[in-house]
Amino acid sequence: MSHTLSIYLFIASGGAVGACLRFFCTGLVDSWFGKALPFGTLAVNIIGSFLLAVLYGFIERGEIAEQPYRALIGVGMLGALTTFSTFTIETLTLLENGLWIKALANILLNVCACLLAAWLAVELTKG
């Protein structure tokens, strides 16, 4: 099996686990707190952001190998659990490097562009 194919298999395997975890966790949290606000989504975003930062900390310190753990856990499992974790770690990296304007631009562009794209999609599919 080629190296590239094995990476994709790690991502797919982790993604399946992450998607199931997302479904389970959001349902559980929503059953506890109700659906007045999307607390389930908030919970997986917070958990995913925390876990991705822990993973990258271990990788940066050389405590675990980048591959296969980045592909399996970072891209696959946590990517399926929440893509917000990637946005968070990228923004945090910009802030840690003193790139405040870029970090603010990243926040505003991600939030505003995604809201605009979702609104546009809803408008286009209204029939």
Side-chain angles (χ1 to χ4, degrees):
M1 179 182 336
S2 74
H3 177 69
T4 303
L5 180 58
S6 65
I7 294 296
Y8 281 104
L9 289 174
F10 281 121
I11 293 168
S13 300
V17 171
C20 291
L21 281 172
R22 179 182 186 88
F23 182 78
F24 173 76
C25 290
T26 55
L28 183 65
V29 171
D30 285 346
S31 73
W32 290 343
F33 297 103
K35 293 189 178 190
L37 285 174
F39 291 113
T41 300
L42 176 62
V44 295
N45 285 340
I46 293 168
I47 292 165
S49 295
F50 178 83
L51 292 176
L52 188 64
V54 168
L55 175 68
Y56 276 81
F58 285 149
I59 290 171
E60 286 294 313
R61 287 192 302 276
E63 294 179 29
I64 61 172
E66 181 173 350
Q67 294 303 342
Y69 299 106
R70 182 178 174 273
L72 177 68
I73 298 170
V75 177
M77 187 182 85
L78 297 176
L81 178 68
T82 171
T83 57
F84 195 82
S85 57
T86 303
F87 161 75
T88 302
I89 214 67
E90 289 170 345
T91 304
L92 184 60
T93 299
L94 290 170
L95 290 170
E96 288 176 341
N97 289 314
L99 302 170
W100 296 90
I101 293 173
K102 286 185 177 183
L104 182 60
N106 191 46
I107 292 166
L108 291 173
L109 286 169
N110 269 280
V111 172
C112 294
C114 289
L115 286 171
L116 179 62
W119 172 80
L120 181 61
V122 168
E123 291 300 311
L124 289 172
T125 58
K126 274 188 175 173

